[in-house]
Each structure stands twice: as structure tokens, then as C-alpha cells.
Amino acid sequence: RSDTRPITSLASQDLEPDRLSHVAERLTVALSGVCGCHSESQTPSAGLRLCGYPIKIEPTTALHASTNGHRIKITSGMLHFFASDDELAFVLAHELSHILLGHAGAFNGVSPVTAETEADSLGIRIVSRASFDTEVAAEFPERMARSYPEMNRLSGPYPSPAKRVTMIRAALREDSGPQIDARPTGNCAG
């Protein structure tokens, strides 16, 4: 089970929004004009945004990122866990993919495994378009599972870390799955 105690060190938290802002800006610029994404500058008044969607940092040591279809939520614990901007970019692109593919809420009738596979596949394409390292997409779940072995024993509707790595590696080898739609409006799945 994840530790959900609040993080109390403000000094370490102050660095994370800058890193998050930089990666979100790079992803947004790469998608500007496609997928219905629009570029907004990362200003303090606008808050952190990815393709116009607000990003909220939850101050907890839990490792978690999610979306409700209107905003992306990521924990400070997850931000501290990332070993590189490439890992952060993949997780943000994955959550944005859920929004763009209409998976918010109960995945709109799509099974959780299918939704996660589609979001990983489109996330890889988004990360590639922004010139981040796509190989990190498969390495990240492996690293999480090594660091937190209890993740391998979790049950539920989502794919296990090992299954997820297999699916991501297949998506990296193939050029199938959701594509980035170059139309200036509409969603990202073409």
C-alpha cells in the first residue's frame, strides 16, 4: 500500500513545479495546433497546464497520477520518484491521452486494460513528437515495480506492471494504435 503521509519539506516541493512546467510546456508546444491542443504560456496566474488542461500537484508521498477528463492530477511523491524528464513526460502524456481518447470517468465503456493500453500507445507518440526518449515508457513501470515490489501483487482491473511493460514494448515495436491527428480541432485519435 502506498504511503499517503503529506510531504512537509517545502524546499523540495518548490523545485517540482518548475520541472513539471518545463516538461508540460514542451509537450504542449509539440502538440500545439493538433489534437485540439492549444498552447498557453505557463504563467503563475494561469497555473500549471498541459494543452490547456490544468495540472494539480497533490502533496502526498503516494505514487499516483490520474485525470478526471478536465484536469490532470499528479502527486508530489510521483514527481520526486521520476529519474528523468522523459519519465515525467511519459506519465503526463499518458494522462493527457486518457482525456483526448475520451476515457475519463468509467472509461466510457472501454475496459481498463484497453484504456491503459490505448493511453500508453498514444502517450508514446506524444512523447516522441516532443523529442523525449520513448524507451523510458517501458523502463518506467519496470523501475516502479523494482522499487515498490508490492505493486506486483496488486489485483484489480488494471494491467500488472509486467503486463504493462509487455504491452508498451509491443507498442514501441509496432506503429499501430491511436495516431496523432493533424487536424487543428477534434481529439487526438485518428
Side-chain angles (χ1 to χ4, degrees):
R1 185 169 167 213
S2 296
D3 183 26
T4 57
R5 292 173 292 167
I7 295 176
T8 56
S9 170
L10 293 176
S12 63
Q13 286 183 1
D14 290 342
L15 298 175
E16 298 308 328
D18 289 339
R19 180 181 184 196
L20 181 57
S21 177
H22 169 75
V23 171
E25 178 97 11
R26 190 167 151 191
L27 290 168
T28 299
V29 167
L31 290 174
S32 185
V34 298
C35 307
C37 291
H38 53 281
S39 181
E40 292 184 9
S41 62
Q42 302 287 350
T43 62
S45 62
L48 291 169
R49 293 186 171 276
L50 174 58
C51 285
Y53 296 98
I55 302 171
K56 181 175 187 210
I57 301 173
E58 291 284 324
T60 176
T61 57
L63 300 181
H64 187 72
S66 62
T67 183
N68 65 3
H70 303 289
R71 77 165 187 270
I72 295 168
K73 183 171 66 171
I74 190 164
T75 64
S76 51
M78 183 70 106
L79 289 172
H80 290 289
F81 183 76
F82 293 127
S84 68
D85 286 350
D86 300 303
E87 288 182 350
L88 172 57
F90 175 67
V91 170
L92 288 175
H94 171 91
E95 296 305 330
L96 176 63
S97 294
H98 279 305
I99 295 171
L100 298 173
L101 293 167
H103 293 161
F107 298 122
N108 288 331
V110 176
S111 79
V113 171
T114 299
E116 291 303 304
T117 302
E118 289 177 353
D120 284 343
S121 182
L122 183 56
I124 289 166
R125 286 166 174 72
I126 291 170
V127 165
S128 175
R129 186 177 179 102
S131 299
F132 286 101
D133 181 2
T134 57
E135 286 298 318
V136 166
E139 295 165 3
F140 180 69
E142 288 177 329
R143 192 169 73 77
M144 277 188 70
R146 279 192 311 273
S147 297
Y148 296 93
E150 65 273 12
M151 290 181 68
N152 294 308
R153 293 185 297 277
L154 295 177
S155 61
Y158 296 99
S160 69
K163 177 74 172 165
R164 188 163 208 166
V165 168
T166 300
M167 292 184 305
I168 290 170
R169 290 208 185 279
L172 286 168
R173 282 191 307 273
E174 298 172 7
D175 194 31
S176 61
Q179 301 294 313
I180 294 176
D181 189 338
R183 292 174 292 174
T185 58
N187 70 27
C188 225

